[in-house]
Amino acid sequence: MARYLLSRLGQSVLVLFGVSLLIFFSLHLTGDPAAIMMPPGASQQEIDQFRHSMGFDQPLLRQYGQYLGNLLQGDMGQSLRYDQPVTTLIGERVPATVLLAVTALGWSTATGLLLGLVSAVWRNSVWDLIARLLAFSGQAIPVFWLGLLMILFFSLQLRLLPSSGYGDLTHLIMPAISLGAYYMSAIARLVRASLIDVLHQDYIRTAQAKGLSAWRILIRHGLRNALIPVVTVQGMYFASLLGGALVTEIIFAWPGIGRLAVQAIQNRDFPLVQAIVLLAAVVFVVVNLVIDLLYVVLNPRIRL
């Protein structure tokens, strides 16, 4: 187990190194970084001064060495727009994004598991039809359209919930629902397909022959093994949510990382954009590592 963990950690370090290399050189592939970052209408003298202050006039490998050294020290650069360390700006937005991601993933997972379980156990029944309709609806309605409909109905018509902002629970309800609807549908369909396949395995029939109760067989032997592909999907969903629920944060004016990334692109604040992209890569790598470890817990055959 320790050897496997060390191997996965080594792979994660190599992946992050490759991502940092890609992020750094992608900026230079677009042309002169100084001309890209400077606002339109800047004079050549201003561009030359900015290029020197940022170190863009040095050899490319030396620039990357300085960039990598700063990263290892926790320095991800200085924001051009806000004149603050990008780590400070990102740190201010992380709590809002984590709160939205955890809430959206929490309700979507619970609802998706319930719908998938009902649909698989009572297959081809009325309950199966209702569960599948809810699942298809969640994936068919775009996130931005659902968010706008909720604002029109709950905010403008009923005046029950605030249309935007970040504060108490009422500000969280609509963004979390609109963001989690798609994931709820995907989880429900995946649980249904996986559980139907598991319930036809030989070890399920063996458990039935032993006289175990139907619910014990379903939960302990069926659902546990059906959750293995769900864990993979959930991990990727959670990583993408932490990377920034861009559309939802813009619609509801949610002060998260996704909205910050859009503002950074609009402001040509490339050091901030690079830091957000690198943070998203770190999240994906860490989540993948956690998923691999969860496989060992859920499936004893992997542990062997």
Side-chain angles (χ1 to χ4, degrees):
M1 184 64 183
R3 186 176 2 179
Y4 172 75
L5 182 59
L6 290 175
S7 173
R8 291 291 292 113
L9 286 174
Q11 295 174 15
S12 301
V13 171
L14 289 177
V15 169
L16 290 178
F17 173 75
V19 170
S20 69
L21 195 67
L22 181 62
I23 291 173
F24 177 82
F25 283 100
S26 62
L27 178 59
H28 292 269
L29 289 175
T30 58
D32 185 3
I36 294 173
M37 293 182 183
M38 289 295 287
S43 64
Q44 186 61 42
Q45 183 179 1
E46 292 174 335
I47 294 176
D48 292 338
Q49 291 177 351
F50 179 77
R51 182 184 295 111
H52 179 72
S53 64
M54 296 294 292
F56 292 142
D57 53 352
Q58 298 180 7
L60 202 56
L61 290 179
R62 181 180 296 178
Q63 292 182 45
Y64 177 70
Q66 293 176 349
Y67 173 72
L68 190 60
N70 292 333
L71 281 180
L72 295 177
Q73 297 176 17
D75 182 8
M76 303 180 78
Q78 192 84 359
S79 170
L80 303 178
R81 170 72 175 179
Y82 302 99
D83 195 24
Q84 296 181 30
V86 296
T87 51
T88 302
L89 294 172
I90 294 175
E92 293 173 351
R93 304 297 184 101
V94 165
T97 296
V98 170
L99 176 62
L100 179 60
V102 170
T103 305
L105 199 65
W107 85 262
S108 63
T109 300
T111 307
L113 284 175
L114 179 61
L115 290 177
L117 187 64
V118 169
S119 186
V121 173
W122 290 285
R123 191 170 36 150
N124 299 326
S125 67
V126 176
W127 298 110
D128 182 23
L129 178 61
I130 295 174
R132 283 190 291 171
L133 283 176
L134 290 174
F136 285 128
S137 299
Q139 286 190 308
I141 301 176
V143 174
F144 71 91
W145 182 245
L146 179 60
L148 293 175
L149 287 179
M150 294 179 68
I151 290 175
L152 288 173
F153 185 70
F154 292 105
S155 297
L156 299 181
Q157 296 294 330
L158 300 181
R159 299 187 181 278
L160 294 177
L161 298 172
S163 61
S164 61
Y166 173 70
D168 55 19
L169 179 63
T170 59
H171 293 87
L172 179 62
I173 293 175
M174 289 198 297
I177 291 176
S178 63
L179 182 60
Y182 177 86
Y183 303 110
M184 177 272 294
S185 304
I187 293 168
R189 297 179 63 185
L190 184 59
V191 169
R192 181 184 187 273
S194 181
L195 190 57
I196 288 175
D197 180 65
V198 168
L199 291 177
H200 287 85
Q201 298 297 319
D202 291 338
Y203 61 84
I204 296 295
R205 287 191 284 268
T206 302
Q208 293 171 341
K210 289 181 178 179
L212 299 178
S213 64
W215 281 106
R216 184 178 180 182
I217 294 174
L218 178 64
I219 301 300
R220 184 171 181 178
H221 298 280
L223 189 59
R224 180 176 180 179
N225 290 284
L227 284 179
I228 294 177
V230 178
V231 168
T232 304
V233 175
Q234 284 293 84
M236 294 299 98
Y237 286 163
F238 186 62
S240 63
L241 289 174
L242 285 181
L246 191 146
V247 176
T248 303
E249 291 182 358
I250 292 176
I251 291 176
F252 293 97
W254 190 265
I257 296 177
R259 191 168 174 228
L260 179 64
V262 174
Q263 293 172 345
I265 294 173
Q266 293 174 341
N267 296 327
R268 306 166 69 92
D269 195 345
F270 281 87
L272 183 55
V273 175
Q274 290 182 96
I276 294 175
V277 173
L278 183 61
L279 176 63
V282 171
V283 170
F284 270 96
V285 169
V286 172
V287 168
N288 269 308
L289 179 61
V290 173
I291 289 172
D292 288 343
L293 297 180
L294 284 178
Y295 281 162
V296 180
V297 177
L298 291 174
N299 195 341
R301 289 175 297 179
I302 299 178
R303 188 182 312 128
L304 294 176

